[in-house]
Amino acid sequence: MLYSTNFLAIVGAGEQPSLSPRRLCLFNTVTECALKELNFLTTILAVRVNRKRLIIVLQDRTYIYDSNSLALLDTIETVANTKGLCAFSPSLDGCYIALPANTTKGSALVYNAMNLHSHCQIEAHRSPLAAMALSSDGVYIATASEQGTIIRVHLISQAKKSYSFRRGTYPSTIYSLAFGPPKGFPHLLVATSSSGSLHVFHLDSVTNQRNKKSVGLLASVLPNTINGALEPSHHYVFPNVLPTGVKSCATIHTIERIASASLSRASIHVITYDGYFREYRLIIDDSHDSSWVLEHEFNMLTRPS
């Protein structure tokens, strides 16, 4: 659904004509009428939309439509993208789409969806990409590879690495990455993985730049893979709060700064594929000490209507 409007895009999951995964139906929830149908030769793997652009991801190409006229504006030929991996920034000023650019290493193509041209290609990891996220304002892109031990954040305008966060020592599948709200402070990034832990990273540019100087000499003589792991970060872990191996998706719903108490409070929503919704509250003080609590939990599959 497009924000809080009555515009809804639906893709089926069956082989009946009305439920085909190759058919996208644009639906008006107020008039209860279909606005338009778009049919494709292969399965639709992902759909993203903002007030100006409708993005449809297939295995080997991505289509960009005008959200208002539904005119096809551009087609991006891609490498085999069997998982429909993509990231989209809804801001009209920084309206980018990110797609895998290589099947053997972690390269991301960043495409300007408003001006319809390739913006840059970011070489983020040695292994293929497993997850990507763009900040809502289109300033940052976060990536994780199939190895899942390091999460990197790049500044899109310069295709330059800004942060490297170590999620853990052992490989794990990253299920989701998400930045906090565009006007939220502090700037946070959340990740879920197959390990069952929830990870929150603090993008504190001032501290990051200051601490980089202290590790610069040591990092300069180490390989890049180790160098990236040494970069400082504020990393908050909610250990074993999700079922191991169950796919999950997390978002940072709100971030609130409480100046009088010298702390920040973030609300994090997590949905797991076994039907559970969980809301966590993370509290971070100005010394970067943290605490968290589970505020709500229920199973959406068994909850009475």
Side-chain angles (χ1 to χ4, degrees), residues 10 23 26 50 55 57 61 63 73 82 86 96 165 195 198 200 216 269:
I10 302 174
R23 171 181 173 268
L26 301 173
N50 69 7
I55 311 296
V57 180
R61 66 195 61 197
Y63 295 100
L73 301 176
T82 57
C86 69
Y96 297 105
F165 300 109
S195 68
L198 180 69
V200 179
H269 293 178

Side-chain angles (χ1 to χ4, degrees), residues 182-228:
K183 295 182 180 179
F185 185 84
H187 301 111
L188 302 178
L189 172 69
V190 64
T192 62
S193 72
S194 58
S195 68
S197 296
L198 180 69
H199 301 262
V200 179
F201 305 98
H202 193 306
L203 278 65
D204 187 337
S205 59
V206 176
T207 302
N208 194 35
Q209 293 300 323
R210 183 176 65 246
N211 289 344
K212 274 185 179 180
K213 295 179 181 179
S214 65
V215 299
L217 177 62
L218 177 60
S220 66
V221 298
L222 294 176
N224 287 337
T225 51
I226 302 177
N227 182 355

Side-chain angles (χ1 to χ4, degrees), residues 85-160:
L85 186 62
C86 69
F88 185 54
S89 55
S91 170
L92 299 183
D93 295 327
C95 185
Y96 297 105
I97 181 171
L99 299 161
N102 197 298
T103 58
T104 59
K105 61 180 181 179
S107 303
L109 169 68
V110 179
Y111 198 88
N112 189 314
M114 290 300 296
N115 298 328
L116 305 177
H117 65 79
S118 176
H119 176 75
C120 66
Q121 182 167 313
I122 294 174
E123 307 297 334
H125 305 270
R126 292 186 176 183
S127 301
L129 295 174
M132 292 190 294
L134 286 165
S135 59
S136 296
D137 54 11
V139 173
Y140 291 110
I141 178 173
T143 59
S145 74
E146 292 180 351
Q147 191 75 5
T149 53
I150 300 292
I151 294 170
R152 293 196 168 97
V153 178
H154 285 75
L155 184 65
I156 291 177
S157 61
Q158 303 175 16
K160 179 181 178 181

Side-chain angles (χ1 to χ4, degrees), residues 49-97:
V49 62
N50 69 7
R51 297 187 187 278
K52 292 290 186 180
R53 294 292 182 260
L54 170 66
I55 311 296
I56 299 176
V57 180
L58 308 184
Q59 179 172 313
D60 59 357
R61 66 195 61 197
T62 294
Y63 295 100
I64 302 177
Y65 289 84
D66 184 288
S67 293
N68 298 303
S69 67
L70 299 180
L72 177 61
L73 301 176
D74 203 357
T75 302
I76 308 171
E77 303 288 340
T78 65
V79 300
N81 185 11
T82 57
K83 297 179 181 178
L85 186 62
C86 69
F88 185 54
S89 55
S91 170
L92 299 183
D93 295 327
C95 185
Y96 297 105
I97 181 171

Side-chain angles (χ1 to χ4, degrees), residues 136 178-190 200 238 250-258 264-270 277-284 295-296:
S136 296
F179 287 93
K183 295 182 180 179
F185 185 84
H187 301 111
L188 302 178
L189 172 69
V190 64
V200 179
F238 302 19
T251 63
I252 301 175
H253 184 241
T254 59
I255 300 176
E256 179 185 10
R257 174 67 182 170
I258 306 175
S264 301
R265 185 166 55 194
S267 174
I268 301 171
H269 293 178
V270 185
F277 170 87
R278 297 174 176 88
E279 179 181 1
Y280 294 95
R281 183 74 67 181
L282 172 66
I283 298 175
I284 307 169
E295 293 208 329
H296 298 100

